[in-house]
Amino acid sequence: MNELFAVFLGMVLINNFILVRFLGLCPFFGVSKQLNSAISMGVAVTFVMAVSSLATWLIRHYILIPLDIEYMNIVIFILVIATLVQIIELFIKKTNLGLYFSFGIYLPLITTNCAVLGITLINTNQDYSLSGSLVAALGGGLGFTLVLAMMSGIREKLEMANTPKSMKGLPIAFITAALLGLAFVGFSGII
Amino acid sequence: MGNGKFAKEFAKGIILANPVFVLALGLCPTLAISTSIDNALGMTLAVLIVLLGSNIIIALIRNFVPNITRIPIFIVIIATLVTVVNLIFHAYLPATYEALGIFLPLIVVNCIILGRAEAFASKNPVASSIADALGITVGFMLALLMISFIRQVLGTGGLSVFGHDLFTLPGLRDHPIAIFILPYGAFLVIGLLMGLFRRTGVMKNE
């Protein structure tokens, strides 16, 4: 139990997906202009990460390893993720139309988000158990959402700020991310 | 296709459509592996093989692929090429394979590759797709080398490429500015470089 908690905390705060592992940067800079869309994106990514971790763990342990075709990891994982995203999209569209529209374009884009393929590869490399994979995925997703939400709050204020003309937009967002990352170093002592 | 057009497609990727600084694509690997020149060159080689292969294959099959299933087909082609590169690196360049870690398999979801497949190779003949792949890779390499150079020199106080020490900076060698080698340094360097490029007019302001 303690070990799972350490994995979770490490994923959220210490090895944060965005600030330390550099996974999922495209939505980080693309979507983080408004708080609402940042949180929707974060929740959608977390959900897909958890479901994909579950599915890829089962496929790896019951199909790939018995058949000794682990080198097919990458192709299989990306197909699983793409299929899952499609299924989730159809499911949400049928059951909850409001949620479907609030996710909008973000849901199909998740297929090419490196955070999702990243977590399945991290689970494989670390050889986490089924519960470990799930906890790692939820922790990673939560850390991703947290930083995305913080960044969107900062960027809403930055729009009003008097930044030099050549630093407006992306450059100042990068600098802000660097400072945010430095602030997160403070957490590294807690495990 | 004349030489002029080939050269034009090639040059486009280097400055006007530089994948990192202008299009802001492929940021994850750029930031993550730009801690040393060795890693930058290893990543460039991997991206070159995958991008060249996917652009050629997709340009060849572009007239047979049904429009509605094109994205899954492109992804499977790219994933297969990445698997091949992964196995080659594991066998022949084990040190680079270890250093790049999960960012080698993650080339599958690098927006540069799928972006070029969708925006260029699926609409153009093989020769211009090759030029496009080479230009984009050179642009990617220049951006990676620039960031890696700054990070490695300031973060370790010298430059060594594949075990050869090229130079050291005496003061920095003993007290390197460690932040540049840490993840946060990557954000700082790319942000400042982008600002500098806009200030000097190489790139447009937003």
Side-chain angles (χ1 to χ4, degrees):
Chain A
M1 197 60 220
N2 266 337
E3 200 185 314
L4 285 185
F5 188 67
V7 168
F8 182 75
L9 218 54
M11 281 286 183
V12 179
L13 296 176
I14 298 160
N15 288 321
N16 187 281
F17 255 57
I18 295 177
L19 298 174
V20 178
R21 289 189 197 264
F22 299 114
L23 294 170
L25 289 180
C26 298
F28 179 55
F29 290 110
V31 185
S32 66
K33 282 183 181 156
Q34 278 181 320
L35 188 59
N36 280 344
S37 46
I39 291 179
S40 301
M41 182 71 181
V43 172
V45 169
T46 309
F47 185 64
V48 175
M49 276 167 75
V51 181
S52 317
S53 296
L54 197 71
T56 50
W57 193 91
L58 292 173
I59 289 178
R60 191 169 110 86
H61 283 261
Y62 291 103
I63 300 176
L64 297 185
I65 292 179
L67 291 178
D68 204 20
I69 49 168
E70 268 189 274
Y71 62 89
M72 291 292 287
N73 262 353
I74 305 168
V75 181
I76 305 277
F77 284 7
I78 191 76
L79 283 178
V80 168
I81 292 168
T83 317
L84 276 175
V85 170
Q86 283 285 317
I87 295 174
I88 293 169
E89 198 183 342
L90 283 177
F91 181 76
I92 294 179
K93 198 177 178 180
K94 283 282 177 211
T95 52
N96 192 339
L97 212 57
L99 191 65
Y100 177 76
F101 282 116
S102 73
F103 279 156
I105 178 121
Y106 305 128
L107 209 50
L109 278 182
I110 291 174
T111 311
T112 53
N113 185 333
C114 36
V116 181
L117 188 62
I119 188 72
T120 61
L121 293 170
I122 289 171
N123 288 338
T124 311
N125 286 352
Q126 304 279 342
D127 217 6
Y128 282 139
S129 65
L130 183 57
S131 51
S133 305
L134 211 55
V135 166
L138 289 174
L142 185 63
F144 177 82
T145 315
L146 185 71
V147 172
L148 209 61
M150 285 169 75
M151 190 67 184
S152 65
I154 297 174
R155 280 184 90 175
E156 279 177 11
K157 293 256 187 265
L158 266 182
E159 293 281 304
M160 305 294 150
N162 186 17
T163 38
K165 210 169 134 204
S166 40
M167 294 298 283
K168 266 196 172 33
L170 265 184
I172 197 73
F174 277 112
I175 309 279
T176 314
L179 296 175
L180 208 56
L182 272 176
F184 267 66
V185 180
F187 289 120
S188 59
I190 56 179
I191 294 193
Chain B
M1 188 179 66
N3 274 335
K5 192 161 172 252
F6 192 90
K8 200 181 113 227
E9 296 298 352
F10 177 73
K12 168 197 69 184
I14 300 178
I15 297 172
L16 285 181
N18 186 293
V20 177
F21 291 123
V22 180
L23 306 178
L25 291 177
L27 287 175
C28 306
T30 307
L31 293 173
I33 58 96
S34 59
T35 48
S36 70
I37 297 280
D38 298 6
N39 288 353
L41 291 175
M43 191 53 154
T44 307
L45 180 64
V47 167
L48 174 68
I49 300 173
V50 176
L51 185 57
L52 201 56
S54 82
N55 260 14
I56 291 174
I57 295 173
I58 288 163
L60 282 174
I61 62 166
R62 70 183 190 283
N63 295 327
F64 312 110
V65 176
N67 206 26
I68 194 163
T69 54
R70 66 183 194 288
I71 301 282
I73 292 175
F74 294 170
I75 290 181
V76 173
I77 292 171
I78 295 168
T80 313
L81 285 165
V82 171
T83 306
V84 172
V85 169
N86 223 22
L87 293 173
I88 293 176
F89 272 53
H90 199 170
Y92 296 106
L93 301 164
T96 315
Y97 178 81
E98 288 295 324
L100 295 182
I102 65 167
F103 286 95
L104 198 53
L106 279 179
I107 294 176
V108 180
V109 284
N110 189 326
C111 342
I112 296 176
I113 317 265
L114 190 61
R116 292 331 288 172
E118 169 71 7
F120 199 89
S122 62
K123 300 186 186 82
N124 288 284
V126 177
S128 15
S129 298
I130 293 177
D132 178 71
L134 294 177
I136 291 284
T137 313
V138 171
F140 183 62
M141 180 177 76
L142 286 179
L144 270 183
L145 285 179
M146 216 182 283
I147 300 169
S148 311
F149 179 81
I150 296 174
R151 288 184 70 191
Q152 192 178 359
V153 169
L154 293 178
T156 65
L159 191 70
S160 66
V161 179
F162 296 114
H164 303 287
D165 279 326
L166 294 185
F167 64 84
T168 49
L169 301 169
L172 271 179
R173 182 51 112 191
D174 303 325
H175 303 285
I177 314 171
I179 182 180
F180 284 103
I181 217 83
L182 293 172
Y184 331 105
F187 287 119
L188 203 60
V189 170
I190 195 172
L192 291 174
L193 275 178
M194 256 185 190
L196 186 70
F197 287 153
R198 289 182 181 181
R199 181 90 188 106
T200 51
V202 180
M203 279 164 52
K204 285 203 189 81
N205 288 325
E206 254 176 43

